[in-house]
Amino acid sequence: MNAPPAPRPGRHRVRLGEAELLQDADRPSGWLLSVGGVAQSYVDLDEPAHLEFDYMRRIGDVLDCLRPGPLAVLHVGGGAGSLARYAAATRPGSRQLLVDADDLLVELVSAQLGLRAVPGLAVEVGDGRAALAAAAAGEWDVVVLDAFHQATIPAGMVTLGSVSDVDKALAAGGVCLANVTDGPGLAFVRRVVGTLGAVFEHVVVVGEPAVLRGRRFANVVVAASRDELPVAEVAGLAAGAVFPARVVPGAELMGDPITDDEPVASPLPPEMFT
């Protein structure tokens, strides 16, 4: 079988603007994907278990602490498929589906970064909410909500309606993992936690201490399940990270749920205003 062509750095038009592929000077097999000037994904083609972004490593921590063996994972969004590649490498035999609304981006990362060649991964172009609604009851062990419109989570992506669809789609013991961005005060994180907490009994937030204290803008990971989460195990991995993170009970950050009648988008990063 012929080897796929090597990726090429450069700029490309996608539905949400301009995407750029940059090769990592320190890791020749590492590639950074940005869209609209916002870093979206990092993949190492030779080491798919390498997760460069801290928040992605925290999601990886949760996956590592779930039951052993293959998993069925639905990715709503996912850029270049960093987490899908990780699950395929660390959980051989996993069945995964990545749904992204940007057809041009999907074709770019498929052609340049081999997205469709990830073992066990199916890739579809479509609306994330529609994919959640269409999922069969109990079809997935993990649902990852990582859909962004450049720098923000689209309004309507994390509402009681969409989270109820996640709940339906999850198998017994299943986990919802949401990548959430927020800044001082964590107003949006609190709304997301409140939304997940209205559907799932167990909710925790994982992030760097300064972010959880509302001192700077960054990503946090919210995990939710009907069943108890492996909090102690995840906390141990997070505390031992290069940039240590904490696990906080959702009850400490519980806000009002977001509804489809009043959807809320995540705030823009501060640098987007400069």
Side-chain angles (χ1 to χ4, degrees):
M1 180 180 295
N2 294 329
R8 299 184 306 275
R11 299 175 185 272
H12 308 262
R13 294 301 301 176
V14 295
R15 297 294 176 193
L16 297 180
E18 185 177 71
E20 183 175 18
L21 281 175
L22 291 173
Q23 188 173 20
D24 190 336
D26 297 320
R27 299 175 71 98
S29 58
W31 291 83
L32 175 68
L33 170 69
S34 298
V35 178
V38 178
Q40 188 182 79
S41 295
Y42 180 103
V43 298
D44 188 318
L45 298 178
D46 289 346
E47 297 184 39
H50 174 75
L51 295 173
E52 181 76 8
F53 295 166
D54 291 333
Y55 83 87
M56 193 64 72
R57 181 60 263 172
R58 303 289 73 79
I59 295 178
D61 290 344
V62 178
L63 290 182
D64 290 349
C65 294
L66 300 182
R67 61 161 176 79
L71 295 170
V73 187
L74 171 61
H75 304 263
V76 179
S82 306
L83 192 65
R85 297 169 198 263
Y86 180 82
T90 61
R91 303 280 188 138
S94 291
R95 177 178 64 88
Q96 302 187 80
L97 171 63
L98 188 152
V99 180
D100 197 290
D102 193 326
D103 58 331
L104 296 181
L105 182 63
V106 167
E107 291 311 311
L108 171 64
V109 296
S110 295
Q112 297 279 347
L113 301 175
L115 179 63
R116 295 186 187 274
V118 175
L121 176 66
V123 181
E124 293 182 2
V125 175
D127 178 74
R129 283 289 302 263
L132 290 173
E139 182 176 3
W140 303 103
D141 298 312
V142 180
V143 172
V144 181
L145 302 178
D146 194 14
F148 276 74
H149 187 285
Q150 293 187 354
T152 63
I153 300 171
M157 192 64 255
V158 190
T159 66
L160 282 174
S162 61
V163 171
S164 295
D165 284 336
V166 172
D167 179 40
K168 178 204 71 174
L170 285 173
V175 176
C176 174
L177 294 166
N179 170 28
V180 184
T181 53
D182 205 356
L186 298 178
F188 183 70
V189 167
R190 294 175 188 276
R191 298 294 303 275
V192 172
V193 171
T195 307
L196 287 164
V199 176
F200 296 101
E201 182 177 354
H202 302 277
V203 183
V204 297
V205 183
V206 189
E208 294 180 30
V211 180
L212 294 177
R213 295 189 190 105
R215 294 180 180 175
R216 68 180 183 86
F217 191 100
N219 302 68
V220 300
V221 174
V222 185
S225 178
R226 305 181 204 113
D227 302 317
E228 287 191 17
L229 292 158
V231 175
E233 295 90 338
V234 173
L237 292 175
V242 175
F243 297 99
R246 293 176 54 222
V247 179
V248 173
E252 295 185 14
L253 293 169
M254 193 74 67
D256 294 329
I258 302 172
T259 67
D260 283 318
D261 292 334
E262 297 183 9
V264 180
S266 63
L268 284 169
E271 57 267 23
M272 299 293 285
F273 293 102
T274 61

